[in-house]
Amino acid sequence: MCWRPHRLFGLVVPGGRVVAVRAALQGSWSVLQRRTVVRRESAVVTGVRKAVFSAAIGLLLFGALGLVATPPAFAQSFTYNPRPPKPVTQRPANDGQMLVQANEVDYDYNNSRVSAVGNVQLYYNGTSVEADKVIYDQKTKRLHAEGNIRMTDVDGKITYADVLDLSDDYRDGFVDSLHVDTADATRMAATRADRSNGNYTVFENGVYTACAPCKDDPKKPPLWQVKGMRIIHDQIDKMLYFENAQLEFFGVPLAYIPYFSAPDPTVKRKSGFLTPNISSNSTYGYAIEVPYYWAIAPDYDATFNPRFMTQQGVLMQAEFRQRLMDGSYQIRAYGIDQLDPGAFAGQAGDKQFRGGLETKGEFALNDKWVWGWEGIALSDYMLLSDYRLAAYKDPFQSFLTLPTEAPSQLYLTGVGNRSYFDARTIYYESLSGSQSQVPVIWPVVDYSNVINHPVLGGEVSYKTNFTNLTRSDAVFDAINPVAAANGACLLNSADSAQSIVRQNCLMRGMPGTYTRLTGEADWRRSFTDSAGEIWTPFASVRADAVNADISNQPGVASFLPVGDTQALRVMPTVGMEYRYPFINVQPWGSTTIEPIAQVIIRPNESYAGKLPNEDSQSMVFDTSNLFEVDKFSGYDRVEGGGRANAGVQATTQFDRGGSITAVFGQSYQLFGMNSYAVQDVTNTGVDSGLQTPKSDYVASLAYSPNRTYTISTRARFDQATGNIERFETEASAHFDRWSVSVLYGDYAAQPDLGFLTRREGVLVSGSVKVANNWVAQGAARWDLVANQINQYVVGAGYVDDCFVLAANYVTSFSYATTTSPPILGHAFMLQIGLRTLANTNAQN
């Protein structure tokens, strides 16, 4: 007999004393020398072969995993209630050590059986098994456990059973009264699990759910569960097969499925059909999509998604995805041979074949640099809207609105600790039919950096921008009602050469090629004197080199010089900002009043209004940009002339929570030319409130007494008359069960910008938690000038940790005149989701 050291076992004896012995193994089992006597005189300690307990753990694991499969390619479009993140478990090393604890351990010499009885606990490689009794029969080589069996594996799965019996080579066996709780909060149970031929495991009368049990009554049926007469697990093919299954809600059967299959949980990706989607439309009728996912290889896969339509036939869709070591990409294609092109008569879709191709990808060069692309090519610009194929947009939003352009671009981006770089070329696919009026940007480059050491005691930063764009045809917008009604600002109008003038139109986009290189450096430093005053001197210099080759199209000469134009624009700036905060402390809180003054000295803006304006067309003057050195939004315009900005900011903080912040101020043109009074091709700055030597007054007030209520107001007042030019106020309240918000806006007419009449409206939205997990919501937008509703939305939904049911309905109104009946647009979407099993959408 050859003896060798093996495992260390501990025996828990009555009274809690632990006795340690060293085991020696011979063959499958061997008798140990008795080191101590426990309660039974014949009790001795025996070794347990590692493979036997591995087999027991393996069978229980398959029971725990049997019904947790979901097709991996399926992307859910809804959100369940959040779960705490799953902790990362450190797997123990496979050191071959096993610890057995029990009240008694007996060896039956006559029958060659070893028994561990009473509070048996087995610990092996991070997995624990507990039972009332464990028996190993050396003659039949079978392991038998019974009574309150509980197994917890390293991943947190907990398996309960009454009886376990299997062979030591794990080819056959059974588990009775199986119940499993997994780490991802899924649960299953079966009356019996049988294993045969070393490959198949059959669960009899299985039940699966991803819903938590009721806290008040754990025996109450969960929200949903799937029952199957038999659930078969094929270990080689890694598939689960459900026979005679039914879907129950609150214990009531709602759907019967004779047979379906899913990959087992050990499979991350598996080929197969995904959940169908249903939709309807007046041009293609009723439709159903039946996606098929193909797991081609570990690093790439594909989805085929044909849409079967009652009026237009089959729209074929396919998407290919591949993930590489440093990134991923995807390609999506779709096409249709239309059965009834006449349904799109007079439109771009009136053709036999229609199709498109989309692709995007992104790859990392290192931890700071990435490059990527996105691209799209369409047979016609109406394809996305006709068949609702806006793949990169939220499916519900694509009901009523689609983007006016679809970008194709190639980019390179780098992000450092204090720097940023981005370069890209962009081609826009027009979705409105005006492809010649959409620019091609080749390229646009941005770089910015903040120097990480002080210069003259202050911070220095710099940024650059290079833009080159080309457009075939000019883009004009009408700014008076007669021009709008007569189409006077359209290039193909009968007298466009005479009607396209500044009195009628704005030029939103110039025809030709426009190239601009901009560089700007900025320095600033703050001082606080002994009186608490804060002084911030600053200086900057900016230079723009421009080349504009403007095409001589009808009306263009009224806005820009046609032909080739070069310009060099330099804008040096020096200034000082002054702040003097006063603080008053009271028992109820503190108030800070801070006067702010800013003086900026610089020359006039060169070439003001004589160069194209592509990226500085948005101009809203309010307290958010009152103290900006340059209030233009882009690079094509630059603020010039001497200017002073003055105002006061007051903030009150309450000791019991809550705050009030108020800002009031005005801007002054000190000397030189006022850039905002100069008309450019888009009249940017005109009617902004900054076009006069003394600007309009701007004010804002925000009050938040606690986390429940928030009120904010923004306003601009005419400096001469005090009339309100722009006013917005928003109030919201958020309680435990409901929330509501109201936004009111009132905007004076701005005819020079194309807003010919005053605009006034109210947007009201709210939601209420009707019951646990039930939410109803709605919103409405009311045009107070026309006294008509623009749009309203109503919806309701149920959301918890395992189930989603949501329905939304949107109605939009479009009015040709104030007296004509409205044109209605409707959208409806229904979402149903069962966590880990299925999700489907119905759209109309």
Side-chain angles (χ1 to χ4, degrees):
M1 181 179 291
C2 178
W3 294 80
R4 55 188 174 88
H6 193 52
R7 303 185 183 89
L8 186 67
F9 290 82
L11 304 181
V12 180
V13 298
R17 183 166 55 91
V18 178
V19 180
V21 297
R22 182 167 298 278
L25 179 65
Q26 180 192 21
S28 297
W29 296 78
S30 59
V31 181
L32 299 178
Q33 291 180 311
R34 187 166 55 188
R35 302 298 187 188
T36 184
V37 178
V38 293
R39 186 159 54 90
R40 287 188 181 180
E41 293 182 357
S42 61
V44 296
V45 181
T46 60
V48 181
R49 196 171 73 176
K50 177 173 61 177
V52 176
F53 285 99
S54 299
I57 293 171
L59 181 57
L60 292 175
L61 277 172
F62 277 110
L65 296 173
L67 282 173
V68 194
T70 300
F74 182 66
Q76 295 175 346
S77 60
F78 51 85
T79 302
Y80 298 98
N81 283 348
R83 298 178 170 279
K86 181 181 177 180
V88 178
T89 305
Q90 186 69 30
R91 292 182 177 272
N94 187 0
D95 56 4
Q97 297 291 324
M98 180 180 290
L99 179 65
V100 179
Q101 294 180 338
N103 291 345
E104 301 177 10
V105 179
D106 299 333
Y107 186 82
D108 186 340
Y109 292 93
N110 296 327
N111 298 312
S112 299
R113 291 182 179 178
V114 179
S115 302
V117 182
N119 297 320
V120 181
Q121 297 181 0
L122 312 177
Y123 299 92
Y124 174 67
N125 285 342
T127 299
S128 65
V129 178
E130 304 172 30
D132 292 341
K133 185 176 183 180
V134 177
I135 301 172
Y136 179 75
D137 191 317
Q138 186 176 3
K139 292 181 179 179
T140 61
K141 296 184 179 181
R142 296 190 69 88
L143 177 71
H144 181 89
E146 59 185 45
N148 299 313
I149 300 173
R150 171 189 169 107
M151 186 199 74
T152 305
D153 72 359
V154 69
D155 293 323
K157 301 181 187 70
I158 303 176
T159 305
Y160 304 89
D162 288 343
V163 177
L164 179 149
D165 190 285
L166 72 163
S167 61
D168 65 357
D169 60 2
Y170 188 40
R171 290 192 57 82
D172 54 48
F174 68 88
V175 180
D176 279 346
S177 300
L178 179 71
H179 175 78
V180 178
D181 292 334
T182 66
D184 62 350
T186 58
R187 281 154 286 279
M188 67 88 63
T191 58
R192 182 182 176 94
D194 290 279
R195 180 167 177 79
S196 61
N197 300 325
N199 178 43
Y200 296 101
T201 303
V202 179
F203 301 93
E204 301 289 346
N205 299 318
V207 180
Y208 168 76
T209 184
C211 299
C214 178
K215 295 181 179 179
D216 298 331
D217 184 7
K219 295 183 179 180
K220 183 179 179 180
L223 192 154
W224 66 264
Q225 62 185 4
V226 178
K227 290 184 177 180
M229 183 176 296
R230 291 208 314 165
I231 304 171
I232 303 172
H233 177 232
D234 187 330
Q235 183 179 354
I236 295 179
D237 292 339
K238 298 184 182 299
M239 288 293 296
L240 291 168
Y241 302 95
F242 298 78
E243 296 180 357
N244 294 324
Q246 63 183 21
L247 176 63
E248 295 183 355
F249 280 83
F250 300 105
V252 178
L254 293 183
Y256 171 73
I257 308 173
Y259 174 87
F260 74 96
S261 62
D264 76 24
T266 64
V267 178
K268 301 301 181 182
R269 302 159 65 252
K270 186 74 172 180
S271 300
F273 287 98
L274 306 181
T275 309
N277 292 319
I278 302 172
S279 64
S280 68
N281 184 277
S282 60
T283 54
Y284 63 71
Y286 295 97
I288 182 171
E289 297 184 13
V290 185
Y292 180 82
Y293 174 75
W294 183 19
I296 305 171
D299 58 334
Y300 55 93
D301 53 32
T303 302
F304 300 94
N305 191 14
R307 182 190 298 179
F308 302 93
M309 298 171 288
T310 57
Q311 296 180 18
Q312 294 295 349
V314 181
L315 173 69
M316 298 302 298
Q317 303 176 77
E319 185 172 7
F320 175 84
R321 297 165 294 267
Q322 184 171 19
R323 181 173 295 278
L324 304 175
M325 292 293 294
D326 54 353
S328 63
Y329 70 93
Q330 63 187 65
I331 301 172
R332 183 170 183 254
Y334 33 83
I336 181 173
D337 187 2
Q338 297 186 131
L339 295 180
D340 182 19
F344 306 98
Q347 304 177 28
D350 188 3
K351 57 181 64 176
Q352 190 71 25
F353 176 81
R354 305 174 70 184
L357 183 69
E358 298 178 20
T359 178
K360 64 178 178 178
E362 185 171 278
F363 294 87
L365 298 175
N366 51 42
D367 61 340
K368 294 182 173 60
W369 290 90
V370 298
W371 72 278
W373 75 86
E374 63 176 327
I376 184 170
L378 303 173
S379 61
D380 60 89
Y381 69 90
M382 291 295 293
L383 178 64
L384 296 183
S385 59
D386 286 345
Y387 288 99
R388 296 174 181 171
L389 291 173
Y392 300 152
K393 286 178 61 65
D394 181 87
F396 182 61
Q397 295 296 328
S398 65
F399 270 111
L400 296 176
T401 58
L402 280 171
T404 56
E405 295 95 18
S408 296
Q409 60 181 323
L410 177 67
Y411 62 88
L412 173 67
T413 302
V415 179
N417 294 331
R418 303 168 68 90
S419 61
Y420 173 79
F421 175 88
D422 184 87
R424 60 188 64 215
T425 61
I426 308 174
Y427 174 85
Y428 292 99
E429 182 85 19
S430 174
L431 302 180
S432 61
S434 55
Q435 186 63 51
S436 62
Q437 295 181 320
V438 178
V440 177
I441 301 176
W442 180 276
V444 57
V445 181
D446 286 283
Y447 176 73
S448 62
N449 185 35
V450 179
I451 297 178
N452 61 1
H453 57 82
V455 177
L456 299 177
E459 181 184 80
V460 173
S461 62
Y462 59 91
K463 58 183 178 181
T464 61
N465 173 268
F466 176 79
T467 300
N468 182 80
L469 66 86
T470 301
R471 183 186 286 106
S472 298
D473 292 334
V475 183
F476 297 100
D477 280 350
I479 59 173
N480 66 61
V482 176
N486 298 334
C489 296
L490 300 177
L491 281 178
N492 57 0
S493 62
D495 58 345
S496 56
Q498 290 74 34
S499 62
I500 299 179
V501 293
R502 287 182 178 270
Q503 292 78 10
N504 294 333
C505 314
L506 297 177
M507 179 187 282
R508 293 298 184 188
M510 49 119 265
T513 300
Y514 173 56
T515 305
R516 176 184 38 77
L517 174 63
T518 299
E520 183 175 359
D522 180 84
W523 174 89
R524 62 179 51 233
R525 181 182 181 183
S526 292
F527 303 87
T528 303
D529 61 21
S530 58
E533 299 170 299
I534 303 172
W535 305 84
T536 305
F538 56 88
S540 66
V541 60
R542 169 177 158 176
D544 302 279
V546 176
N547 182 81
D549 186 5
I550 310 298
S551 301
N552 188 14
Q553 296 181 357
V556 172
S558 299
F559 296 85
L560 292 172
V562 298
D564 200 9
T565 300
Q566 290 84 31
L568 178 63
R569 181 174 59 192
V570 180
M571 181 61 67
T573 302
V574 295
M576 176 71 73
E577 183 178 281
Y578 170 81
R579 295 172 181 257
Y580 195 11
F582 296 87
I583 301 177
N584 180 267
V585 179
Q586 298 292 334
W588 45 264
S590 63
T591 299
T592 302
I593 299 177
E594 186 178 31
I596 307 171
Q598 192 180 63
V599 177
I600 305 167
I601 300 173
R602 60 198 160 197
N604 294 336
E605 179 187 5
S606 304
Y607 302 97
K610 299 179 181 179
L611 297 175
N613 181 1
E614 294 285 336
D615 71 351
S616 299
Q617 299 186 13
S618 176
M619 179 72 235
V620 176
F621 176 48
D622 57 21
T623 56
S624 67
N625 58 6
L626 172 62
F627 296 103
E628 292 290 334
V629 177
D630 188 346
K631 298 176 180 61
F632 285 112
S633 58
Y635 289 100
D636 287 338
R637 293 295 306 274
V638 57
E639 183 180 305
R643 182 170 288 275
N645 304 309
V648 61
Q649 176 174 292
T651 302
T652 298
Q653 297 280 351
F654 300 100
D655 287 346
R656 294 186 178 182
S659 64
I660 301 175
T661 301
V663 181
F664 179 84
Q666 190 178 26
S667 182
Y668 308 90
Q669 181 70 21
L670 300 179
F671 58 83
M673 182 179 65
N674 188 345
S675 294
Y676 301 104
V678 178
Q679 287 185 321
D680 62 11
V681 296
T682 62
N683 285 346
T684 300
V686 178
D687 277 350
S688 66
L690 291 163
Q691 71 276 9
T692 55
K694 293 182 179 180
S695 78
D696 289 347
Y697 299 104
V698 290
S700 63
L701 177 66
Y703 174 49
S704 179
N706 48 48
R707 294 183 179 181
T708 301
Y709 302 99
T710 301
I711 302 173
S712 62
T713 299
R714 301 168 292 277
R716 176 165 65 88
F717 306 91
D718 185 277
Q719 56 88 21
T721 64
N723 294 333
I724 296 177
E725 299 294 323
R726 186 181 184 91
F727 180 83
E728 292 176 337
T729 184
E730 184 175 7
S732 63
H734 300 275
F735 298 90
D736 291 338
R737 300 184 65 87
W738 62 276
S739 64
V740 63
S741 66
V742 180
L743 173 63
Y744 168 78
D746 184 7
Y747 313 99
Q750 295 174 289
D752 290 333
L753 300 179
F755 301 107
L756 305 179
T757 60
R758 174 171 155 264
R759 293 150 292 157
E760 185 182 13
V762 176
L763 175 64
V764 181
S765 61
S767 65
V768 58
K769 186 177 181 181
V770 181
N772 287 336
N773 306 110
W774 282 98
V775 177
Q777 59 185 2
R781 186 174 61 202
W782 186 273
D783 186 340
L784 294 176
V785 175
N787 196 27
Q788 296 167 331
I789 282 184
N790 293 120
Q791 186 181 84
Y792 68 82
V793 182
V794 293
Y798 177 92
V799 181
D800 64 13
D801 61 341
C802 68
F803 179 69
V804 168
L805 174 65
N808 288 278
Y809 176 76
V810 179
T811 297
S812 289
F813 299 84
S814 177
Y815 299 90
T817 66
T818 57
T819 58
S820 62
I823 301 173
L824 301 181
H826 302 278
F828 175 79
M829 188 176 80
L830 176 67
Q831 290 181 300
I832 300 176
L834 307 179
R835 187 173 72 89
T836 73
L837 280 188
N839 174 69
T840 187
N841 297 325
Q843 305 177 359
N844 188 15

